[in-house]
Amino acid sequence: MWRRSASFILDKYQTTQNEALPSDSITLSPPPLSASTAMAAPQNPNFDQNMSISAYYQTRAAHHGVVTSDWLAQAQEAATTAAGPEVDAGVRSGRTFSVIEEFNSWRKQPDLAEAVAAIRALAAVIRNSEANTMMELEIELKKASDSLKSWDSTSISLTAGCDLFMRYVTRTSALEYEDFNSAKSRLIERAEKFGEISYKARRIIAMLSQDFIFDGCTILVHGFSRVVLEVLKTAAQNKKLFRVFCTEGRPDRTGLRLSNELAKLDVPVKLLIDSAVAYSMDEVDMVFVGADGVVESGGIINMMGTYQIALVAHSMNKPVYVAAESYKFARLYPLDQKDMAPALRPIDFGVPIPSKVEVETSARDYTPPQYLTLLFTDLGVLTPSVVSDELIQLYL
């Protein structure tokens, strides 16, 4: 195992085009309702209308669905024309501050991860707090964190991000300072630093992974992962020659979304149906997947189908690389596929299904650590066996 500090990587990294990182203060308009709800609304006439679709999957559909070119044009226009300083939710429009409203306003940015949106919202809680003592502020933060976690109890990254924020930010005491205001300023400083580190994590991971992508290689990816896209985008910018096999990513067509993004970068892409992984694995040099959560065993929880891809790759001696930010490290230890709360999703097979036929509606599976080769994180390049050590350090 080896690691590099995040600040070292960012300071030393030089791009040929001097591209600036996107501004955190830009809020893009969400996709039209028809585009974002098409994935969340079942089309199967026999689908149980009373089944509770998890907020995790609704968010995934909204961010990862194949959006129209019109919306992309609107988003680009908003990004280039937006101006003005960032304003806290409690200040804008004079309303009482709400951590859920702040979270939702950050979550509208398509490139911002859900956990980072929660971290930004919790930082705003501190800035808008009217508490007079450290104890009151910590209680207020705890309530805000619990509200965000209960917003979607099936989202592993959301829960882990909130827990890590609380551990990182509250590692201080009012006794270290002359007054409460000094302690609160320190908390705000820590909160903003943690938010900045979390936001830059994707970029750091992309740079750490470049030594493992070689000219002429073929990479298999599954579904849509923003961090995996950043890895491949950075490789393309570095003039590396490679091709990508994208699974279709049913039922929300996330693989189609990723293949469209890669085609814009002039990266050779081949689209596969999800069941063609074993058929095509002999052409693949490595597998790159993202993760919804990294658990204590060193395994990952990710989009349904990741486990079987890892099994096939392992049987054919192909490395399986995972790109995941450290805020997705969760204090969980699943023993099998049923040890985690299911994130339900609608399934449309395109044909009528008899009412007596049961349909599996879980959105993700668990991949044990023995089928993973390396994890690329903003903490460094890790083997699955050292994830538990990193979790201990994170939550100390």
Side-chain angles (χ1 to χ4, degrees):
M1 188 198 81
W2 57 276
R3 66 177 71 228
R4 299 175 181 172
S5 73
S7 59
F8 172 83
I9 296 171
L10 291 178
D11 290 342
K12 296 297 182 182
Y13 184 68
Q14 298 292 332
T15 59
T16 57
Q17 299 178 348
N18 294 323
E19 294 180 345
L21 290 175
S23 171
D24 292 0
S25 61
I26 297 175
T27 302
L28 299 182
S29 302
L33 191 60
S34 58
S36 61
T37 57
M39 301 302 173
Q43 299 175 5
N44 189 338
N46 295 302
F47 187 81
D48 184 1
Q49 299 290 341
N50 296 320
M51 186 184 80
S52 176
I53 304 301
S54 68
Y56 158 84
Y57 190 77
Q58 293 180 37
T59 302
R60 184 185 183 96
H63 283 294
H64 296 171
V66 181
V67 296
T68 64
S69 57
D70 291 339
W71 180 79
L72 290 175
Q74 294 173 11
Q76 184 177 6
E77 181 180 358
T80 56
T81 59
E86 176 186 327
V87 182
D88 291 335
V91 176
R92 66 169 79 97
S93 73
R95 294 197 307 269
T96 303
F97 178 81
S98 167
V99 67
I100 298 298
E101 289 182 5
E102 179 75 2
F103 168 66
N104 285 327
S105 68
W106 282 106
R107 200 167 56 89
K108 291 176 183 178
Q109 299 187 34
D111 290 331
L112 198 67
E114 189 175 84
V116 178
I119 290 168
R120 297 293 195 191
L122 289 173
V125 170
I126 302 176
R127 289 195 297 270
N128 289 274
S129 175
E130 297 180 357
N132 296 314
T133 65
M134 181 63 70
M135 182 64 70
E136 290 178 1
L137 181 55
E138 289 190 6
I139 292 174
E140 189 175 341
L141 265 179
K142 179 66 166 57
K143 289 181 178 179
S145 175
D146 290 343
S147 296
L148 288 173
K149 289 190 288 186
S150 63
W151 181 83
D152 181 10
S153 59
T154 67
S155 176
I156 298 172
S157 62
L158 179 61
T159 299
C162 290
D163 289 343
L164 283 171
F165 178 90
M166 295 295 294
R167 295 297 303 162
Y168 184 88
V169 171
T170 57
R171 289 177 183 172
T172 186
S173 170
L175 298 177
E176 301 176 20
Y177 305 94
E178 296 180 358
D179 54 28
F180 169 71
N181 289 331
S182 299
K184 182 178 179 180
S185 298
R186 177 61 172 164
L187 284 181
I188 294 174
E189 179 185 340
R190 284 181 175 229
E192 292 178 347
K193 180 180 179 182
F194 187 75
E196 191 65 22
I197 291 172
S198 301
Y199 182 77
K200 293 180 179 179
R202 197 180 305 161
R203 188 77 171 182
I204 295 170
I205 294 169
M207 289 181 273
L208 287 175
S209 62
Q210 295 308 299
D211 291 339
F212 295 82
I213 299 177
F214 53 88
D215 282 339
C217 69
T218 299
I219 303 171
L220 174 67
V221 297
H222 180 53
F224 184 91
S225 166
R226 285 184 287 260
V227 65
V228 170
L229 176 59
E230 187 69 23
V231 168
L232 300 177
K233 180 179 179 180
T234 302
Q237 291 173 343
N238 291 338
K239 308 301 182 183
K240 293 194 175 184
L241 303 177
F242 62 96
R243 63 173 178 164
V244 179
F245 286 0
C246 288
T247 58
E248 59 179 331
R250 278 181 58 86
D252 51 348
R253 302 183 297 170
T254 49
L256 291 173
R257 164 87 185 275
L258 184 59
S259 63
N260 290 338
E261 295 294 331
L262 292 174
K264 296 175 185 177
L265 301 172
D266 293 327
V267 174
V269 182
K270 186 177 183 179
L271 197 61
L272 310 175
I273 58 175
D274 291 339
S275 56
V277 169
Y279 173 81
S280 304
M281 189 60 73
D282 60 338
E283 301 180 58
V284 173
D285 294 298
M286 66 190 75
V287 176
F288 252 107
V289 295
D292 293 329
V294 179
V295 298
E296 291 186 46
S297 64
I300 63 169
I301 297 173
N302 195 43
M303 179 182 177
M304 184 67 74
T306 303
Y307 182 27
Q308 62 192 26
I309 290 175
L311 282 171
V312 173
H314 180 76
S315 69
M316 301 181 69
N317 295 318
K318 308 290 185 178
V320 179
Y321 299 136
V322 179
E325 303 89 334
S326 61
Y327 56 73
K328 293 180 179 177
F329 282 35
R331 290 179 293 182
L332 299 172
Y333 203 102
L335 298 178
D336 57 34
Q337 301 298 326
K338 304 302 185 292
D339 265 0
M340 51 190 175
L344 303 180
R345 61 179 178 176
I347 303 292
D348 178 22
F349 291 97
V351 295
I353 304 297
S355 58
K356 294 182 180 180
V357 175
E358 183 181 359
V359 176
E360 175 59 62
T361 55
S362 181
R364 59 196 180 192
D365 57 26
Y366 165 63
T367 304
Q370 61 265 32
Y371 303 112
L372 306 176
T373 307
L374 291 172
L375 291 93
F376 297 95
T377 78
D378 47 303
L379 302 176
V381 181
L382 311 176
T383 60
S385 60
V386 301
V387 168
S388 59
D389 295 335
E390 293 297 334
L391 270 163
I392 291 173
Q393 295 298 322
L394 286 171
Y395 284 98
L396 275 179

